[in-house]
Amino acid sequence: MSIDDRTEVSSEQSNRERELTDKVVASFAGAPDPRLREVLTGLTEHLHAFIREVRLTQDEWASAIDFLTAVGHITDDRRQEFILLSDVFGASMQTVTVNNEAVAGETESTVFGPFFVDDAPAIESGGDISQGAPGQACWVEGTVTDIDGNPVAHARIEVWEADDDGFYDVQYSDGRVAARGHLFSDENGRFAFWGLTPTPYPIPFDGPVGRMLDAVGRSPMRASHLHFMVTAEGQRTLITHIFVRGDELLDRDSVFGVKDTLIKDFVEQPAGTPTPDGRDLGENTWSRVEFDIVLAPESAPTGG
């Protein structure tokens, strides 16, 4: 059934609407960059089709403009509301999916999120990224290999996460850096570090995106996770998370980022259990998780 059949518009009305779409599409025909022309043409076709399908009213259009303006106003160098908007519509996750075509055996990608920061502090193998952020200590270890099982030495591993109160360091008021860092895999592809056991937290919901979620009855909560970005020469950059098995939010993560292969066992250790590196945690419990990372080759197909 066509858009016009569903909305019962007249043939004359349909022709007028189609003519406008054609005019806008034609205005991009002279773009010297063929990819730019393709993207803008596709955007125009789909945007006009959406307006026609839902019979968007002028009041609704004005509300949408106000909403996007509010998204822009709240965005700054520490908060990216447009990424949040993309995330909650699944657009971020769909872009990740399109641009990381499946390669047998590789670690799956997921959303980048709005809280990555360049130049995170370096730590040695076995170091602690938490830097005093509140939360239960967690020992994270694993290997980085290629899809043939060969160890990838000197892979740069960026890690970042929220603290036990649900905040990333960029949300702190004092500017300190915590719960993020980078390290490198060793000659055998091994890596290990101390972080925090991930806990659920809400995406920022005090802005327009939060108000939209509230209006449709959706939760802003994200499933518990730890972020990774892994880069190595000759390998495709991996942006991913690992998630906590048993988290009740795994099937309703607010940004649709959960994949079954990324759900891991964070095994709690009783107080007094010896740590892998001899660290004294006193009477505190801690957890440990193993995450083996498999990188796809740089020549692996991507979308586009």
Side-chain angles (χ1 to χ4, degrees), residues 234-253:
Q235 308 299 321
R236 190 166 72 187
T237 295
L238 172 68
I239 296 171
T240 196
H241 315 342
I242 53 173
F243 297 88
V244 179
R245 193 180 309 280
D247 186 338
E248 63 180 15
L249 295 169
L250 290 173
D251 62 351
R252 55 183 188 278
D253 180 58

Side-chain angles (χ1 to χ4, degrees), residues 24 43 45 47 53 58 61 63 67 74 141 144 155 160 172-173 221 246 257 285:
V24 180
L43 175 62
E45 290 281 6
L47 181 58
E53 178 178 355
Q58 289 183 287
W61 175 86
S63 294
F67 174 79
I74 203 171
E141 62 183 340
V144 184
W160 66 104
Y172 296 164
S173 60
M221 295 299 294
T285 61

Side-chain angles (χ1 to χ4, degrees), residues 26-277:
S27 74
F28 299 120
D33 183 334
R35 175 59 177 167
L36 179 61
R37 183 169 63 249
E38 178 186 19
V39 169
L40 292 178
T41 296
L43 175 62
T44 300
E45 290 281 6
H46 287 283
L47 181 58
H48 282 230
F50 160 74
I51 293 169
R52 296 174 65 202
E53 178 178 355
V54 302
R55 311 310 293 172
L56 193 71
T57 69
Q58 289 183 287
D59 285 344
E60 290 166 341
W61 175 86
S63 294
I65 296 298
D66 289 343
F67 174 79
L68 292 175
T69 300
V71 170
H73 283 165
I74 203 171
T75 297
D76 56 26
D77 59 354
R78 296 175 67 86
R79 174 170 179 163
Q80 236 304 351
E81 193 81 355
F82 279 105
I83 291 180
L84 288 180
L85 180 60
S86 174
D87 288 349
V88 301
F89 272 102
S92 301
M93 197 63 217
Q94 190 67 280
T95 303
V96 168
T97 303
V98 166
N99 283 277
N100 290 275
E101 293 189 26
V103 175
E106 101 282 18
T107 299
E108 291 190 90
S109 300
T110 189
V111 291
F112 195 35
F115 297 114
F116 175 77
V117 174
D118 287 319
D119 301 321
I123 61 168
E124 298 296 324
S125 180
D128 188 354
I129 70 166
S130 65
Q131 298 296 314
Q136 182 188 58
C138 178
W139 176 257
V140 184
E141 62 183 340
T143 58
V144 184
T145 63
D146 63 21
I147 58 173
D148 296 318
N150 302 307
V152 177
H154 313 302
R156 182 182 174 110
I157 304 167
E158 299 268 0
V159 288
W160 66 104
E161 62 180 319
D163 65 21
D164 205 39
D165 296 322
F167 295 108
Y168 287 83
D169 57 0
V170 296
Q171 296 172 295
Y172 296 164
S173 60
D174 57 10
R176 60 196 162 96
V177 176
R180 73 172 68 242
H182 78 270
L183 67 158
F184 294 88
S185 59
D186 68 15
E187 295 293 336
N188 298 311
R190 298 286 306 171
F191 68 91
F193 64 91
W194 285 99
L196 302 172
T197 306
T199 53
Y201 69 87
I203 61 172
F205 60 93
D206 58 338
V209 171
R211 291 193 292 273
M212 182 192 73
L213 291 179
D214 186 60
V216 298
R218 275 179 56 185
S219 168
M221 295 299 294
R222 287 225 60 199
S224 309
H225 62 277
L226 170 61
H227 291 265
F228 285 78
M229 182 169 72
V230 186
T231 54
E233 185 176 356
Q235 308 299 321
R236 190 166 72 187
T237 295
L238 172 68
I239 296 171
T240 196
H241 315 342
I242 53 173
F243 297 88
V244 179
R245 193 180 309 280
D247 186 338
E248 63 180 15
L249 295 169
L250 290 173
D251 62 351
R252 55 183 188 278
D253 180 58
S254 62
V255 307
F256 311 99
V258 178
K259 294 184 176 181
D260 289 346
T261 60
L262 301 177
I263 300 171
K264 303 298 176 182
D265 293 307
F266 286 74
V267 182
E268 183 161 291
Q269 309 296 308
T273 303
T275 59
D277 62 348

Side-chain angles (χ1 to χ4, degrees), residues 277-293:
D277 62 348
R279 180 183 182 184
D280 183 5
L281 293 174
E283 297 303 311
N284 296 311
T285 61
W286 55 284
S287 69
R288 63 187 306 165
V289 63
E290 186 166 348
F291 179 35
D292 292 328
I293 297 166

